Amino acid sequence: MFDSFAGLREFDRAVFVVAAARFVNVLGSGIVYPFATLYFYGEVGIPFTLVGTGLFANSVATAGGTLVGGYLADRYGRKPVMVASMALSAPTLAAYALVTSAPTFVAVAAAAGLAAGLFAPASQAMVADLTPDADREQAYGLLKVASNAGFGSGFVVGGLLYGVAHTAVFVADGLTSGVVAVLLAVALPRVSGATEGEADSEAVESSLAATLREWSRAVTQPTILALAVLNVGFAVAYAQMRSTVPVFAEQAFGLTSEQLGTLYVLNPLVIVVFQMPVVSWVRSWRRTRGLALSAVFWAASFVTIVLAHGAPVLVGVGLVGAFLVLRTVGEILHAPLITALASDVGTVEERGSQLSVLEIAKRLGFGIGPVVGGAFFDYGVEALLWPALVGMSLLLGVGVLSLERRVSPAANGRGEAAD
């Protein structure tokens, strides 16, 4: 197990700075997650479908920020974009504490999403710039470990804060983003994108057109487009952990916020313990094979929720715990493999823009997931949601395997691609 961490000593210092920033930032996200849906649905009284609409607005805005962030990271460098994203996120995230109605919720969610969206393509591109192709899965795996160590800590802290003062979780989330902005500004060296240079007046005037052209080139690459479509489906599955599963667990088994927060620690705990060993284990695999296995674990996780319906409390809570473990194994495989695959499919010069396409797709799925799941709950047919998600997950596995012949051996990892 420890051998899987041995290669980390060779990573550039900036990779560890990004990982530390992810830890602090996701600590704030964990404080809010999964209590935001419970608060706006149960306390503020916003209908579940409208809560889903607000989360969809957040995802759409995040996608827009990601588009701009990918371009700016390629044009002006990774560090300025990352610092700006976190500095803007601090007040917008804290503003959730002021929400009292559905329109306000949607507006704040959109503003927070736009600010946050700038960060992901810049940080992912920086890590890709600083690590060799063969080590990229480990680098992205390190970011997952840092994120989920923060997540787990945030769940516990959030459960305690939510039990004392519901809106305190949103203020704490905003504060962590401010801390990250300072950390990045002070500790992160400037790492140039491949095409970075000084902006002149002509570049400024044509920036929007250039953004659209570069993003269009990335989208029209068939493999990038296919990966983006698949990532929408994976993100729909991801979104259920934040939106529908907490509501199901509270309604079916009467879990309190503290109990739910403690149970949700299983997600980051499994990632912290197993992320690097699993990535090391699959390094010799085709990346598409690892992604197909990820889809199988997602399907199995939703089967546990099907079985939890009508189960006794102890059995039901155990099945919710099993859901968290199984979906986390799927996440362990999915996140670093699909990002590494997309990094190697495209060109170095447009890597930020290309990764933004993948991130936009994920955010779209994050937005669709709560809307669809909320509709199942609002119309009283939530029991049908989970079998539908099982089927969708299996289709994702088939889709990944069908993509395999279109991916070059170099981009698909160390396994030899099929002829």
Side-chain angles (χ1 to χ4, degrees), residues 7 72 95 104-105 198-199 217 220 238 242 293 334 349 376 395:
L72 293 177
T104 308
F105 175 61
E198 293 296 325
R217 281 196 297 269
T220 54
Y238 270 68
R242 176 183 181 183
L293 181 60
H334 168 261
E349 292 77 13
F376 274 82
L395 286 176

Side-chain angles (χ1 to χ4, degrees), residues 52 55-56 59 232 236 239-240 363-374:
L55 296 177
F56 181 74
S59 293
V232 171
V236 168
Q240 306 313 313
R363 292 299 167 179
L364 180 61
F366 280 168
I368 293 172
V371 173
V372 173

